[in-house]
C-alpha cells in the first residue's frame, strides 16, 4: 500500500520539477522577448542604401537586454495569419545582437541577397511582427498602416520604449534618441560647482546606511537571545515538580563519575567474536620478480 | 630588398638599429625620475616596512613601466596585445578590486564592530575627507567625474580608489592609485599630529568599556544583513560590498574554511601582485608626470587630513551626548578611515603614549572596519551620481 505521506512527497517532487521546467521555459523565452522592433522605414527614396546599393525599406530591431541575444531561429512577418513567413537563419554571427545593440533587415522581397534581406516588403503591409522560434508566441508587433512619408522613419521615441511616433532622423543601427544628453556629472557641475550639494547628499546617505546598521546590530544580540520556541509555543498547564537545588557532596560526585567511567570502559562497540579469514599466499608475478628486475644488468661475455 | 655594400656595413647598420631599440636611446629625464620614485617605494617597504605587500609590487611596477622602449613592439602596458596590457585589463575593468575585497572580507573580524555598534558611525564621519577633497578638486579645475575619483583617496582604501577611478577617470587612475597607497603607507606619519592637535590630555586617557563577546549567530547574520541593508540603499556599491560581505560569510559560516582560506590567502596574494604590479607599471613618465598628478597628490594629503579630523571630531561630538563611563576615546576617531589595520594601530600607539595601560586597538578596529563599508558606500554614491 502506498501511504498518503508518500503520495504527498511525490506530488511535492512533481510540483518542484514543474516549477523548474516552467522556469527554464520562461528563461528561454526571455532572451527573445528582449527584442523590440525599434524603427522602420517604409518608403526609402534617398535614405541609406543596402549592401547592393539599393534604397529599400528597412526594419531595425533593438536588443533591450544587457547580454547578447541570438535572433536566428525567430520569424519576421507582415502577415499575422502566416507567422512563419520569414525564418531568420541561425548560425550567422550577424544574427547575434550585442547588448543594447541593433540589427537591420532589408524588406525588399529579395531573400536571395542574404539573410538580412526579407521575402516581403513593407509598402503594402499593415503590420510587422516578430515571432518566437515556436512560430506562435508574438514577441513584438508594429502597425505599418500609418500615413508613412518618404524617408521619414517610424519607431520608438526611446530605444525599446513604449511611445511610438515618426522620428526626426533616420538612425539605422543606432539609437533613436538623438537628443543631447546631459550626464549626471554635467548636472552636478552646473548646479553644484563647489561640491557642497554632493557632500550633503552623500554624507546623508553614508550616515543613513551605517545608522541603519547600527540600529539593527544594536538590537541583534537581544533578538538572537530570544527563545522563539518558548515565545510561540502554547502554554501548557503542567505542574512541574521543581526540585530544590541541593549541594551534592564530593564523595557522591566521585562515586557517580567512577560509575560512569566503569560503565563506559566496559562497553563494546563491536563484539570480539568476529572471525577473520585471511589468505596467506605469495602470488608470483614477473613484475615483482627479482630474476626479471630491470636493475639487474646482463652479464657481459 | 635593401642592398649593402659590404657585410660589415650590414652588421654595423643592424647594430645601430638595435641601439635605437634600447632603453638608453629612448631614455628621458621623466623616466629617470619615475624609476627613482619606484626605488624610493621599495626602500620604504624594505627599510621602513611601510605597507611592504603593496609598495614592493607597486615600486617594482613603476620601474618596470618606466623602462623606455621603442613603441610598436607590443611590450608596453598601454600597447594592446602586450602581456602587461592583458594584466592591466583587470584594473581597467575594475576586476581586481572586488576580488581584493573578497579576501579582505574573509580575513576581517567584525566582532569589534558588533560588540559596540555605535562605533560604526565613526566610519561614516571619516568619509568627510572624500567630499572635502571632491570640493577642493572642483575648485582646482578638475571635472566633477575626475574630482569624484580624486576625492575617494580620502577613503584611504586602495581597491576602492582604483575601482572608482577606473570608472570615472581612467586616465588619472595611475596617479590616484599611487597617491592612495602612498598615503595609506604614510598613515603613521600623517595621523598622529592631527589626533594630538584635536584632543586634550583628559580625552586621550578615556578608558572604554571592554568589548563584549559576540555570538557566532551574530557573526553569521552580519554579512547577510549588512549586504542587504547597504546594497539596498546603494546598489552601485554592489561589486565591492557584495564581495566584502561574501568573503566575511565564508569566514564566519565556519563550514567553508577551505574557500575562506583561499580567498584570504592565495587568491588575495595573486590579485595583490597583479594589481600592484600593473598599477605601478601604468605610471609611465609620459602619462604620469603632469601637473594634474601633482594636484592629485596634494589633494590626497588634504583628504587624508580632513578624514582623520572628521573621525576625531565626530567622536568628540558623540561624547557630548554620552554618559560618563560610556564615553569614547577620540583617539580611535582616526581609524574611521579604512586603512585596515594601520589606522587602528596608530590609535593604539598614540593611546599608549598617554596611558601605558589603555589599549585602544580592539576598540579602534570597530570604526576601522566600518570605514571599509563607509568608503565602499561613498564610492557607490559617487558612481551613481557622476558616472
Amino acid at each position: 500500500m502506498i501511504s498518503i505521506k508518500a503520495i504527498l512527497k511525490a506530488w511535492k517532487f512533481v510540483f518542484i520539477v514543474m516549477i523548474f521546467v516552467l522556469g527554464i521555459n520562461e528563461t528561454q523565452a526571455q532572451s527573445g522577448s528582449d527584442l523590440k522592433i525599434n524603427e522602420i522605414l517604409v518608403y526609402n527614396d534617398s535614405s541609406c542604401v543596402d549592401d547592393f546599393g539599393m534604397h529599400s525599406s528597412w526594419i531595425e530591431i533593438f536588443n533591450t537586454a544587457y547580454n547578447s541575444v541570438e535572433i536566428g531561429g525567430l520569424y519576421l512577418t507582415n502577415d499575422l495569419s502566416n507567422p512563419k513567413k520569414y525564418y531568420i537563419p541561425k548560425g550567422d554571427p550577424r544574427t547575434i545582437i550585442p547588448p543594447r545593440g541593433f540589427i537591420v533587415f532589408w524588406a525588399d522581397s529579395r531573400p536571395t541577397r542574404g539573410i538580412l534581406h526579407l521575402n516581403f516588403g513593407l509598402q503594402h503591409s499593415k503590420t510587422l511582427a516578430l515571432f518566437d522560434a515556436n512560430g506562435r508566441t508574438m514577441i513584438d508587433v508594429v502597425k505599418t498602416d500609418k500615413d508613412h512619408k518618404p524617408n521619414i522613419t517610424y519607431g520608438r521615441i526611446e530605444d525599446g520604449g513604449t511611445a511610438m511616433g515618426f522620428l526626426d532622423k533616420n538612425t539605422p543601427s543606432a539609437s533613436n534618441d538623438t537628443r543631447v544628453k546631459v550626464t549626471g556629472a554635467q548636472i552636478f557641475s552646473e548646479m553644484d560647482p563647489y561640491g557642497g550639494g554632493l557632500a550633503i547628499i552623500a554624507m546623508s546617505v553614508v550616515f543613513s546606511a551605517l545608522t541603519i546598521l547600527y540600529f539593527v546590530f544594536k538590537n541583534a544580540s537581544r533578538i538572537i537571545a530570544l527563545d522563539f520556541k518558548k515565545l510561540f509555543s502554547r502554554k501548557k498547564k503542567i505542574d512541574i515538580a521543581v526540585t530544590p537545588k541541593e549541594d551534592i557532596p564530593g564523595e557522591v560526585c566521585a562515586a557517580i563519575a567512577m560509575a560512569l567511567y566503569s560503565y563506559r570502559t566496559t562497553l563494546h562497540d563491536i563484539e570480539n567474536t568476529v572471525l577473520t579469514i585471511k589468505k596467506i599466499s605469495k602470488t608470483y608475478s614477473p613484475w615483482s620478480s627479482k630474476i626479471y628486475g630491470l636493475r639487474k644488468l646482463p652479464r657481459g661475455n | 630588398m635593401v642592398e649593402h655594400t659590404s657585410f660589415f656595413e650590414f652588421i654595423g647598420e643592424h647594430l645601430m638599429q638595435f641601439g635605437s631599440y634600447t632603453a638608453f636611446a629612448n631614455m628621458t629625464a621623466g623616466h629617470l625620475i619615475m624609476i627613482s620614485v619606484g626605488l624610493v617605494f621599495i626602500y620604504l617597504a624594505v627599510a621602513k616596512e611601510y605597507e611592504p605587500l603593496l609598495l614592493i609590487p607597486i615600486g617594482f611596477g613603476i620601474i618596470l613601466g618606466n623602462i623606455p622602449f621603442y613603441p610598436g613592439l607590443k611590450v608596453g602596458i598601454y600597447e594592446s596585445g602586450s602581456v602587461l596590457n592583458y594584466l592591466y585589463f583587470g584594473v581597467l575593468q575594475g576586476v581586481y578590486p572586488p576580488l581584493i575585497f573578497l579576501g579582505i572580507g574573509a580575513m576581517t573580524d567584525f566582532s569589534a564592530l558588533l560588540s559596540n555598534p555605535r562605533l560604526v558611525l565613526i566610519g561614516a564621519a571619516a568619509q568627510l575627507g572624500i567630499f572635502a577633497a571632491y570640493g577642493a578638486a572642483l575648485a582646482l579645475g578638475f571635472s566633477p567625474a575626475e574630482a569624484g575619483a580624486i576625492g575617494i583617496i580620502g577613503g584611504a582604501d586602495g581597491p576602492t580608489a582604483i575601482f572608482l577611478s577606473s570608472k570615472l577617470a581612467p586616465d588619472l587612475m595611475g596617479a590616484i592609485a599611487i597617491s592612495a597607497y602612498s598615503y595609506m603607507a604614510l598613515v603613521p606619519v600623517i595621523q598622529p599630529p592631527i589626533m594630538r592637535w584635536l584632543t586634550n590630555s583628559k580625552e586621550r586617557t578615556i578608558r572604554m568599556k571592554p568589548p563584549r563577546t559576540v555570538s557566532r549567530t551574530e557573526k553569521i547574520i552580519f554579512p547577510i544583513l549588512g549586504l542587504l541593508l547597504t546594497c539596498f540603499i546603494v546598489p552601485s556599491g554592489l561589486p565591492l560590498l557584495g564581495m566584502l560581505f561574501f568573503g566575511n560569510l565564508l569566514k564566519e559560516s565556519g563550514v567553508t574554511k577551505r574557500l575562506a582560506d583561499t580567498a584570504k590567502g592565495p587568491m588575495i596574494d595573486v590579485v595583490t601582485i597583479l594589481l600592484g604590479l600593473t598599477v605601478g607599471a601604468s605610471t609611465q613618465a609620459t602619462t604620469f608626470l603632469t601637473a594634474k598628478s601633482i594636484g592629485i597628490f596634494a589633494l590626497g594629503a588634504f583628504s587624508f587630513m580632513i578624514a582623520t579630523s572628521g573621525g576625531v571630531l565626530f567622536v568628540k561630538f558623540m561624547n557630548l551626548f554620552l554618559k560618563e563611563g560610556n564615553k569614547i576615546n577620540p583617539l580611535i576617531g582616526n581609524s574611521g578611515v579604512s586603512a585596515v589595520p594601520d589606522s587602528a594601530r596608530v590609535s593604539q600607539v598614540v593611546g599608549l603614549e598617554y596611558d601605558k595601560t589603555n589599549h585602544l586597538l580592539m576598540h579602534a578596529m570597530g570604526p576601522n572596519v566600518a570605514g571599509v563599508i563607509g568608503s565602499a558606500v561613498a564610492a557607490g554614491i559617487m558612481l551613481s551620481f557622476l558616472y
Side-chain angles (χ1 to χ4, degrees):
Chain A
M1 274 290 277
I2 304 165
S3 69
I4 297 167
K5 265 190 178 179
I7 294 166
L8 278 172
K9 265 190 181 176
W11 269 111
K12 269 184 191 173
F13 177 73
V14 171
F15 181 68
I16 290 164
V17 169
M18 274 174 70
I19 286 175
F20 184 68
V21 171
L22 287 172
I24 287 173
N25 281 342
E26 188 62 32
T27 318
Q28 281 175 340
Q30 207 171 10
S31 60
S33 66
D34 289 329
L35 301 176
K36 297 279 180 199
I37 298 168
N38 205 45
E39 188 179 2
I40 57 169
L41 181 61
V42 178
Y43 299 104
N44 182 357
D45 290 347
S46 58
S47 182
C48 58
V49 292
D50 64 12
D51 39 352
F52 288 82
M54 303 292 287
H55 290 287
S56 311
S57 307
W58 51 263
I59 301 155
E60 179 195 73
I61 291 169
F62 174 58
N63 172 15
T64 59
Y66 287 88
N67 56 295
S68 298
V69 172
E70 163 75 278
I71 196 175
L74 308 190
Y75 297 93
L76 271 169
T77 184
N78 63 344
D79 179 4
L80 293 180
S81 63
N82 182 14
K84 294 186 175 181
K85 191 163 187 176
Y86 181 74
Y87 172 74
I88 305 165
K90 269 185 175 179
D92 192 301
R94 287 175 295 176
T95 58
I96 298 168
I97 313 174
R100 311 287 294 170
F102 306 88
I103 188 169
V104 172
F105 289 96
W106 301 96
D108 54 0
S109 306
R110 289 190 174 93
T112 51
R113 289 188 168 180
I115 62 160
L116 300 180
H117 292 260
L118 309 179
N119 56 357
F120 59 84
L122 290 181
Q123 294 185 5
H124 305 292
S125 308
K126 288 184 178 176
T127 51
L128 171 69
L130 178 69
F131 277 86
D132 205 350
N134 58 22
R136 292 188 301 276
T137 313
M138 189 192 284
I139 295 171
D140 196 20
V141 64
V142 170
K143 295 276 180 195
T144 56
D145 56 353
K146 310 272 177 192
D147 187 15
H148 286 275
K149 289 170 189 164
N151 306 315
I152 302 288
T153 53
Y154 176 75
R156 297 176 191 277
I157 308 298
E158 284 183 11
D159 297 323
T162 48
M164 304 286 287
F166 288 102
L167 304 172
D168 296 337
K169 289 180 181 176
N170 289 192
T171 57
S173 294
S175 174
N176 291 357
D177 192 358
T178 52
R179 290 170 297 179
V180 177
K181 281 186 180 168
V182 183
T183 61
Q186 284 170 320
I187 296 167
F188 268 92
S189 169
E190 201 175 302
M191 300 299 293
D192 181 29
Y194 303 108
L198 182 76
I200 291 166
I201 297 167
M203 282 305 281
S204 313
V205 176
V206 173
F207 262 103
S208 310
L210 295 185
T211 305
I212 292 168
L213 269 184
Y214 160 60
F215 278 114
V216 169
F217 287 98
K218 190 187 169 195
N219 300 305
S221 56
R222 287 179 207 164
I223 296 164
I224 291 162
L226 282 176
D227 188 353
F228 288 99
K229 273 186 184 174
K230 201 178 173 183
L231 213 65
F232 294 109
S233 64
R234 286 180 186 176
K235 284 178 184 174
K236 290 174 186 174
K237 289 181 179 176
I238 300 166
D239 291 329
I240 302 162
V242 181
T243 49
K245 280 186 181 178
E246 282 178 10
D247 287 334
I248 304 165
E251 298 88 54
V252 177
C253 290
I256 294 167
M258 189 63 198
L260 282 170
Y261 176 77
S262 313
Y263 172 72
R264 288 203 171 172
T265 48
T266 51
L267 276 179
H268 288 271
D269 285 340
I270 303 159
E271 293 300 324
N272 51 8
T273 50
V274 178
L275 286 174
T276 307
I277 302 163
K278 209 171 181 182
K279 190 186 172 191
I280 301 170
S281 66
K282 205 172 182 182
T283 47
Y284 173 78
S285 162
W287 293 102
S288 58
S289 169
K290 285 182 182 173
I291 304 164
Y292 301 105
L294 289 171
R295 286 165 59 190
K296 195 172 181 183
L297 295 169
R299 282 181 189 175
N301 292 325
Chain B
M1 196 174 164
V2 183
E3 284 182 19
H4 299 280
T5 50
S6 70
F7 177 71
F8 291 106
E9 194 182 322
F10 166 80
I11 295 288
E13 195 176 302
H14 280 81
L15 277 173
M16 290 288 283
Q17 191 185 356
F18 179 75
S20 70
Y21 286 158
T22 63
F24 297 106
N26 296 288
M27 181 72 80
T28 64
H31 289 114
L32 285 175
I33 292 168
M34 288 310 296
I35 289 172
S36 311
V37 171
L39 289 171
V40 170
F41 271 46
I42 293 171
Y43 169 76
L44 288 174
V46 177
K48 304 279 180 187
E49 290 191 25
Y50 285 166
E51 297 270 359
L53 297 180
L54 296 169
L55 292 193
I56 289 277
I58 292 176
F60 196 80
I62 293 173
I63 298 173
L64 189 72
N66 282 285
I67 293 172
F69 56 85
Y70 192 79
L73 298 174
K74 285 189 180 178
V75 290
I77 196 162
Y78 294 113
E79 289 189 312
S80 57
S82 75
V83 175
L84 281 174
N85 186 258
Y86 280 117
L87 297 178
Y88 192 50
F89 178 84
V91 176
L92 276 179
Q93 297 300 317
V95 178
Y96 297 147
L99 292 176
I100 296 266
F101 260 61
L102 179 71
I104 293 171
M107 63 172 73
T108 304
D109 187 355
F110 285 95
S111 305
L113 183 70
L114 291 170
S115 68
N116 194 358
R118 66 188 170 178
L119 299 180
V120 81
L121 298 174
I122 305 169
Q127 308 312 318
L128 191 68
I130 295 175
F131 304 104
Y134 171 76
L138 284 179
L140 284 177
F142 286 96
S143 73
E146 288 175 339
I150 294 166
I152 204 71
I153 299 171
D157 198 325
T160 308
I162 290 170
F163 179 76
L164 193 67
S165 55
S166 69
K167 307 277 180 199
L168 295 181
D171 51 324
L172 300 182
M173 192 174 54
I176 289 169
I178 297 291
S179 174
Y181 280 118
S182 306
Y183 291 125
M184 277 166 70
L186 292 172
V187 155
V189 180
I190 298 171
Q191 288 193 327
I194 300 166
M195 292 157 70
R196 289 187 196 108
W197 184 56
L198 292 174
T199 53
N200 58 41
S201 55
K202 194 187 168 193
E203 287 168 332
R204 288 178 213 136
T205 50
I206 290 175
R207 280 179 177 266
M208 292 172 68
K209 278 184 182 174
R212 69 173 173 87
T213 314
V214 178
S215 70
R216 184 170 170 245
T217 317
E218 277 179 89
K219 286 183 182 177
I220 294 171
I221 288 172
F222 176 73
I224 300 164
L225 270 182
L227 172 76
L228 292 172
L229 294 175
T230 53
C231 289
F232 264 71
I233 296 172
V234 193
S236 43
L238 203 61
L240 297 174
L241 291 165
M243 294 301 246
L244 177 79
F245 288 122
F246 174 53
N248 192 244
L249 183 64
L250 291 179
K251 174 183 180 282
E252 300 299 354
S253 67
V255 289
T256 50
K257 193 176 173 298
R258 267 174 52 197
L259 301 186
D261 286 346
T262 306
K264 72 180 180 190
M267 203 195 73
I268 199 169
D269 289 348
V270 169
V271 181
T272 304
I273 289 168
L274 294 176
L275 183 77
L277 193 76
T278 49
V279 163
S282 70
T283 61
Q284 285 184 358
T286 44
T287 56
F288 190 79
L289 286 178
T290 59
K292 272 189 175 181
S293 299
I294 296 163
I296 289 166
F297 268 81
L299 287 166
F302 171 70
S303 65
F304 255 66
M305 288 190 274
I306 297 292
T308 308
S309 309
V312 174
L313 291 173
F314 186 73
V315 175
K316 288 175 67 132
F317 176 72
M318 280 174 86
N319 279 344
L320 295 176
F321 305 97
L322 294 172
K323 289 175 189 169
E324 203 63 46
N326 278 336
K327 289 196 187 293
I328 303 168
N329 191 318
L331 290 182
I332 68 165
N334 70 301
S335 40
V337 300
S338 63
V340 182
D342 290 10
S343 48
R345 246 184 252 148
V346 169
S347 303
Q348 165 81 354
V349 170
V350 178
L352 287 178
E353 280 175 20
Y354 297 96
D355 184 349
K356 296 278 180 211
T357 56
N358 193 6
H359 294 275
L360 295 172
L361 186 66
M362 275 313 288
H363 302 292
M365 279 308 288
N368 211 183
V369 292
V372 178
I373 302 170
S375 61
V377 171
I381 297 163
M382 291 280 205
L383 197 62
S384 53
F385 283 135
L386 303 174
Y387 188 47

